[in-house]
Structure formats: C-alpha cells, structure tokens
Amino acid sequence: MHTLDSSGLRVLTREECLRLLSRAPIGRIVFTDRALPAVQPVTFRLDGDSVVIRTSPGSKLAAATRHAVVAFEADDFDVERRTGWSVTAVGRARAVRDPDEIARLSELPPAAWAPGERNHYIVVDMEQVTGREITRE
Amino acid sequence: MHTLDSSGLRVLTREECLRLLSRAPIGRIVFTDRALPAVQPVTFRLDGDSVVIRTSPGSKLAAATRHAVVAFEADDFDVERRTGWSVTAVGRARAVRDPDEIARLSELPPAAWAPGERNHYIVVDMEQVTGREITRE
C-alpha cells in the first residue's frame, strides 16, 4: 500500500528518505540571505539524523545558516522516463565548535569539491523529513 | 578572463545563466511555507526573463508562492568528474490570471510530470540571476 499526496505522488517513509539521502552525492541547502530566499548546492554526508556540510569558515553559507532553521533537499530524476524522487529535511543548522566532534566529522569521507580550506562544519539536525516519488506504473 | 568567487568557483554571466536554464528540464522553487523554508522540484520553461511553472490551482505551491519573493534554482553536476554548474534566480512569483497570457503559456511545450489537472501557471519574473561553475583544469 502506498500513500499518495494531493498531487498523486507517492509519499516516502522517513526510512526511505534517509536511505535515499545516504546515497545522494549532492544536496541543496535552503536558507535566508539578507531577507531573501537563497539556495546553494553542496556536497554532504549523512551522520545519523544529521546532514553534515563542509565549508570554509568565512563563507556566506556559514554566516547565513548560523542558528537558522534551514531546509535541505536532494533529488534524482530520470528525464527520459519522467520518474524520480525528492527528499526535503527541515532543521536547525549549527556550526560545529566542539573539537572532538570536528575530529570525528573530519573522518567522514571527504566531500567538498570546491577549492580552498574547508575546515568548517555545518550540521543540520533534521527534524522534519519528507519525500515524494514519481513513478510510472 | 573568468571571475572567481570567494570559494574559487567561476562566476557565470547572466547570458550564460539564461542559456543553462533554457536547457534544464528540472528546477527547484524555494519559498516559505508556514514560516519555514521550503523547496520543491518542478518542471519549468523559460519564457524570456521569466520562469513558468505549471501546477494545479489548489497546490501548496500555488498557495505559498502567491505574491511571494521566491528563489528558483537549477543545476547539473557530474559526480565522477566533480564538475558542474548551478544557477539561482530570485524574483516575485505571480499567478497568471490573464486569459490571453494563459492561452499563450499553454502553448509552451508541456512540462508537468505529475498526474492531475495542471492548468494553473506560476510565473517568476527573474530579477537577480546568478550562477557558478566548478571546472577541473
């Protein structure tokens, strides 16, 4: 049995959402920048119920997401078949300050593609996690 | 000559951004839903300096974007090569009410994948358009 939303898309369970997120190489963090909606693609790692993003301490992303409630989205679509899924998580972002936590996170597989020093970690502790799938029967 | 941003990514010109958007099959609309950041993948068409999204009149997207300033993002990444681009536009969303405009937009190639009636058009008139590219030399 599948639950459909008002648009006819299949509603994914939290477990399905986390499994899809764990395999996605790229996501998008959604935040507010000077009172305007902003979105930035990032590489990330899932760490339990948290999304871990590695950035530089002086980045706009680091400044704008400090203590902010953000959304995090990942998706994958097959344009030919018109199928795919998307998962969105909402939670509070925090900069990691604890040296032990930084040491632990630095042992997660490297993910940053952009050049430059990336020793600043933003963690989004996911509260709501929702997802949809569009399939062809 | 290429302009680099503070993260070392190449800054795309507006013309490059519009060209990339014109070829992208999927984008993501970023808005606020009950005071929380929200993001939803959508198929879309570029219509001059506007992004046209087709949805159903009763959708959450239609309600939440009414007269709102939204962001619209599209990207494409090559995970193997660690290259890619992203473009973000910010502008005011409006529901199309004018029958002539609806008739004209309905002749744009069909784009909605989700089932159900999709006779409601949201247009985002892009004000800011910014983009970044990550390449390997």
Side-chain angles (χ1 to χ4, degrees):
Chain A
M1 280 299 289
H2 292 155
T3 306
L4 301 182
D5 74 2
S6 61
S7 299
L9 307 185
R10 189 167 84 80
V11 177
L12 301 173
T13 65
R14 185 182 175 100
E15 289 64 39
E16 289 174 309
C17 291
L18 294 180
R19 194 165 62 240
L20 289 164
L21 282 185
S22 73
R23 295 179 196 153
I26 293 267
R28 295 154 202 94
I29 189 159
V30 169
F31 55 102
T32 301
D33 183 35
R34 285 166 291 181
L36 289 176
V39 49
Q40 186 175 315
V42 288
T43 54
F44 72 103
R45 292 287 159 176
L46 210 60
D47 179 41
D49 276 352
S50 300
V51 168
V52 180
I53 298 154
R54 201 168 176 167
T55 183
S56 55
S59 65
K60 186 175 83 171
L61 190 63
T65 60
R66 204 157 281 155
H67 310 301
V69 173
V70 303
F72 183 81
E73 191 262 359
D75 59 44
D76 191 27
F77 294 98
D78 181 328
V79 173
E80 294 292 309
R81 301 180 62 206
R82 296 187 165 204
T83 59
W85 58 266
S86 74
V87 170
T88 302
V90 175
R92 191 166 291 274
R94 60 185 171 88
V96 180
R97 305 261 178 236
D98 175 40
D100 291 344
E101 191 176 5
I102 291 174
R104 190 177 68 75
L105 295 177
S106 70
E107 290 176 8
L108 292 176
W113 294 5
E117 208 184 353
R118 303 258 144 189
N119 55 358
H120 182 78
Y121 292 92
I122 298 168
V123 170
V124 180
D125 297 313
M126 298 186 285
E127 287 154 33
Q128 286 177 32
V129 183
T130 56
R132 298 289 184 274
E133 185 182 40
I134 180 164
T135 57
R136 303 283 147 199
E137 300 301 306
Chain B
M1 281 298 290
H2 292 154
T3 306
L4 301 181
D5 74 1
S6 62
S7 299
L9 306 185
R10 189 166 83 80
V11 177
L12 301 172
T13 65
R14 185 181 175 101
E15 289 65 38
E16 288 174 310
C17 291
L18 293 180
R19 195 166 61 239
L20 289 164
L21 283 185
S22 73
R23 296 179 196 155
I26 294 268
R28 294 154 202 93
I29 190 158
V30 169
F31 55 102
T32 301
D33 182 35
R34 287 165 293 180
L36 288 177
V39 48
Q40 186 175 315
V42 288
T43 53
F44 72 102
R45 291 287 158 176
L46 211 60
D47 180 40
D49 277 349
S50 300
V51 168
V52 180
I53 298 154
R54 201 167 173 167
T55 185
S56 56
S59 64
K60 186 175 84 171
L61 190 63
T65 60
R66 204 156 282 154
H67 309 301
V69 173
V70 302
F72 182 80
E73 191 263 0
D75 60 44
D76 192 26
F77 293 98
D78 181 329
V79 173
E80 294 292 310
R81 301 180 61 206
R82 296 187 163 205
T83 58
W85 59 265
S86 75
V87 169
T88 302
V90 174
R92 191 166 291 275
R94 60 185 172 87
V96 180
R97 306 260 177 237
D98 174 42
D100 291 345
E101 191 175 6
I102 291 174
R104 190 177 68 76
L105 295 178
S106 71
E107 290 176 7
L108 292 176
W113 294 4
E117 208 184 353
R118 304 257 144 188
N119 56 357
H120 182 76
Y121 292 92
I122 298 168
V123 170
V124 180
D125 297 313
M126 299 186 283
E127 286 153 34
Q128 287 177 29
V129 183
T130 56
R132 297 289 184 273
E133 185 182 40
I134 181 164
T135 56
R136 303 284 147 195
E137 300 300 307

